[in-house]
């Protein structure tokens, strides 16, 4: 009887030992990350790891990942590892970010490259590409903690323009009746997004790299992007 109990206990311990999970973070209203998360769910499943994702403010996500409180960040632009030294980039792009300027004043879009300090610009805290673009434009941004907060400020005329990823703008245009009438600019900057892991999981990097290289991500992405086309008209309305 004792031997049987030992075997059962050993079996349970073995299952627990090989049952692995990874917890990642992403922006709490960053629907852009839905596609990245979809790709990673498939990738981690292929290597037998359960993927859990928590939603937090965008800037906080990087801090949690870098400090090792969670295991990594779903996806970010390249070179953030220069600032967040504990993060390792999986060197296969899994998504992309395309920043646009959203506004209710279409005339402002004609001056996107020389917009002056008179106009009030909103930026979401933690979006590194947005910070780079606003610096290039030499315009101080009013920082907000999330996309929804920024859109609310634009709707209430507290800012004149808002820098957003196109995918996120498309989503809010489909669910916010006022914001659906906003206009958006041509691309101000477009970069691929990469998955980042804390360095304590460095042994997973080769496995994930190989799996992601073998996945036909472009086909997944085309299907996903096509679903957004009805939301966005070609003239930026």
């Amino acid at each position: 009887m004792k031997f049987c109990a030992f075997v059962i206990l050993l079996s349970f311990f073995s299952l627990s030992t090989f049952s692995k999970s990874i917890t990642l973070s992403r922006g709490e209203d960053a629907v852009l990350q839905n596609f990245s998360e979809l790709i990673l769910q498939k990738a981690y499943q292929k290597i037998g790891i359960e993927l859990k994702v928590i939603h937090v403010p965008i800037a906080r996500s990087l801090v949690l990942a870098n400090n090792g409180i969670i295991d990594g960040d779903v996806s970010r632009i390249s070179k953030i590892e220069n600032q967040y030294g504990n993060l390792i980039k999986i060197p296969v792009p899994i998504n992309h970010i395309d920043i646009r300027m959203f506004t209710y004043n279409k005339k402002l879009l004609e001056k996107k490259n020389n917009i002056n300090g008179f106009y009030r610009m909103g930026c979401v805290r933690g979006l590194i590409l947005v910070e780079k673009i606003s610096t290039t434009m030499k315009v101080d941004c009013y920082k907000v903690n999330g996309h929804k907060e920024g859109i609310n400020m634009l709707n209430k005329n507290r800012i004149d323009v808002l820098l957003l990823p196109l995918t996120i703008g498309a989503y809010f245009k489909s669910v916010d009746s006022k914001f659906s009438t906003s206009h958006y600019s041509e691309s101000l900057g477009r970069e691929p997004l990469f998955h980042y892991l804390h360095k304590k999981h460095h042994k997973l990097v080769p496995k994930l790299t190989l799996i992601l290289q073998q996945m036909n991500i472009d086909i997944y992405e085309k299907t996903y992007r096509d679903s957004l086309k009805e939301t966005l008209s070609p003239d930026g309305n």
Side-chain angles (χ1 to χ4, degrees):
M1 181 66 69
K2 289 183 179 179
F3 177 78
C4 291
F6 174 76
V7 170
I8 293 172
L9 181 62
L10 181 61
S11 299
F12 176 79
F13 176 77
S14 299
L15 287 172
S16 300
T17 301
F18 289 101
S19 177
K20 300 178 181 178
S21 67
I22 286 286
T23 300
L24 306 176
S25 60
R26 52 167 279 191
E28 57 192 354
D29 61 359
V31 294
L32 167 69
Q33 298 292 351
N34 290 356
F35 179 74
S36 298
E37 186 175 335
L38 170 67
I39 293 299
L40 293 179
Q41 288 285 2
K42 293 179 181 297
Y44 276 99
Q45 185 179 29
K46 288 178 182 291
I47 57 176
I49 294 178
E50 179 188 6
L51 178 61
K52 302 174 183 178
V53 178
I54 63 171
H55 295 202
V56 297
I58 295 172
R60 189 184 303 168
S61 178
L62 276 175
V63 175
L64 291 175
N66 189 61
N67 290 344
I69 297 172
I70 47 98
D71 299 306
D73 191 281
V74 170
S75 68
R76 295 280 181 160
I77 63 172
S78 188
K79 297 182 180 178
I80 64 162
E81 63 271 29
N82 295 341
Q83 183 177 353
Y84 297 91
N86 291 327
L87 298 181
I88 302 175
K89 180 176 71 175
I90 310 301
V92 181
I94 61 172
N95 200 345
H96 74 265
I97 184 170
D98 182 1
I99 301 300
R100 308 295 180 103
M101 182 188 295
F102 287 81
T103 182
Y104 290 107
N105 185 350
K106 204 168 186 178
K107 292 182 179 179
L108 296 186
L109 301 182
E110 300 169 2
K111 303 178 180 180
K112 62 180 182 299
N113 292 320
N114 60 354
I115 185 170
N116 61 48
F118 175 77
Y119 300 114
R120 302 163 297 171
M121 179 182 288
C123 299
V124 178
R125 187 177 282 109
L127 278 179
I128 307 300
L129 182 55
V130 164
E131 294 174 2
K132 289 168 60 177
I133 291 170
S134 64
T135 299
T136 300
M137 296 173 72
K138 299 180 180 179
V139 177
D140 292 330
C141 264
Y142 184 91
K143 299 290 182 65
V144 297
N145 291 320
H147 303 102
K148 181 63 175 175
E149 180 184 346
I151 288 169
N152 285 339
M153 291 188 65
L154 188 66
N155 287 348
K156 295 176 181 178
N157 197 32
R158 292 180 181 173
I159 54 176
D160 301 304
V161 296
L162 176 65
L163 298 186
L164 284 178
L166 180 61
T167 305
I168 292 174
Y171 168 75
F172 281 105
K173 272 176 151 303
S174 70
V175 299
D176 186 312
S177 59
K178 180 170 176 59
F179 189 66
S180 66
T181 64
S182 65
H183 311 286
Y184 62 93
S185 69
E186 297 177 353
S187 179
L188 301 179
R190 188 180 190 276
E191 290 193 22
L193 297 177
F194 300 86
H195 176 37
Y196 281 85
L197 278 175
H198 189 273
K199 62 184 180 181
K200 62 186 176 183
H201 297 296
H202 65 93
K203 291 183 179 179
L204 287 177
V205 173
K207 295 179 182 178
L208 280 172
T209 300
L210 181 60
I211 290 295
L212 290 171
Q213 286 173 338
Q214 292 173 342
M215 293 174 65
N216 200 336
I217 295 176
D218 289 344
I219 291 180
Y220 287 111
E221 186 171 17
K222 183 180 185 305
T223 303
Y224 183 76
R225 302 294 173 192
D226 285 349
S227 68
L228 299 174
K229 286 183 177 179
E230 293 183 3
T231 306
L232 296 168
S233 62
D235 63 353
N237 290 325

